[in-house]
Amino acid sequence: MNKILITGSLGQIGSELTMALRERYGHQQVIATDIREADHPVVTSGPFETLDVTDGDAMQEIADRYQVDTIIHLAALLSAKAENNPQLAWNLNMNGLMNALEVARKREAKFFTPSSIGAFGPTTPKDQTPQLTVQRPTTMYGVNKVAGELLCDYYFERFGVDTRSVRFPGLISYDTEPGGGTTDYAVEMYYEALKQGRYTSYIAAGTYMDMMYMPDAVKAIIDLMEADPARLKNRNAYNVTAMSAAPEDFARAIQQHIPEFELDYDVDPVRQAIADSWPNSIDSKAAKDEWDFTIDYDLNKMTEDMLTQLKQKLVLD
């Protein structure tokens, strides 16, 4: 990867991945784009362009101007927001992806876009969900992700585009606040533990979902993009995970550092229905076998780091 174009660079993944790639490949080698500008190091530490990914011509012009050879397409509407506006979700998630793949095809660029555990549905095996299994999601976000996996496979088989992807679980980050995902309760819980000493979860007790700390997610993207293509069989997309946890598991981990922290529940039926349609835990063996996927953070190590980082952030804010 010599010149990397990132869409959605101010989002939850993009804000941290952009900075990690600039540190690794050089600040001028990573072109960040988003539909908006913000007061953030992503905008000030290297090239930044305002881009609406539904405008394919604008994306092509930026890619050509910077002579990019790698595209990391992150711009998307997340699961809960997508249910509130399914038409917008289809337009942004699918037409934006098609535009990005077309630019990759024309530039013969390497390509990454994330899929999600949202690509699974209620008929998918719930425990240790295998790499290849039933994918019949019941959400617009899930439909977008399954279609996206197939579309990336098509561009690899039909046009030879080097497409790669992972199915991310819920991602937990201290850098960017929650952006409308079903698993965002976990991020919110850490914030509220420090601010209020209590949290009301919109996801019910006993609801297990896979999660991952953002440093491990960033590492997974970079490791996959740097992997030998000859080893890759399940390109679009690999199961990856770090932990399977329910709200009370996060609460217990937080209470090791804030003993007085309290958790209660006010379940949101829309987001709970989404969570109930997803796996309890997934099997990441294919990622380990084909590109040596590993993690650095379990629940307790992540909790310690999240609370440390958020204390500093909340003081600065």
Side-chain angles (χ1 to χ4, degrees), residues 58-117:
M59 193 187 302
Q60 186 73 55
E61 189 277 327
I62 292 169
D64 289 342
R65 177 154 42 96
Y66 286 96
Q67 296 291 290
V68 302
D69 63 13
T70 304
I71 296 172
I72 297 178
H73 178 62
L74 303 175
L77 201 66
L78 298 183
S79 56
K81 286 188 175 179
E83 284 306 284
N84 290 332
N85 198 336
Q87 293 80 13
L88 173 63
W90 181 268
N91 184 40
L92 174 59
N93 294 352
M94 297 312 304
N95 292 332
L97 175 59
M98 178 65 89
N99 288 338
L101 283 165
E102 271 296 286
V103 174
R105 179 182 69 83
K106 291 174 183 176
R107 291 209 54 81
E108 298 182 351
K110 186 183 292 187
F111 187 86
F112 174 89
T113 194
S115 187
S116 163
I117 59 171

Side-chain angles (χ1 to χ4, degrees), residues 8-34:
S9 64
L10 290 172
Q12 188 185 35
I13 300 174
S15 57
E16 297 189 45
L17 178 63
T18 299
M19 301 309 295
L21 287 171
R22 282 178 174 166
E23 289 298 317
R24 191 176 185 87
Y25 286 96
H27 284 240
Q28 296 304 309
Q29 306 307 108
V30 181
I31 299 87
T33 73
D34 207 294

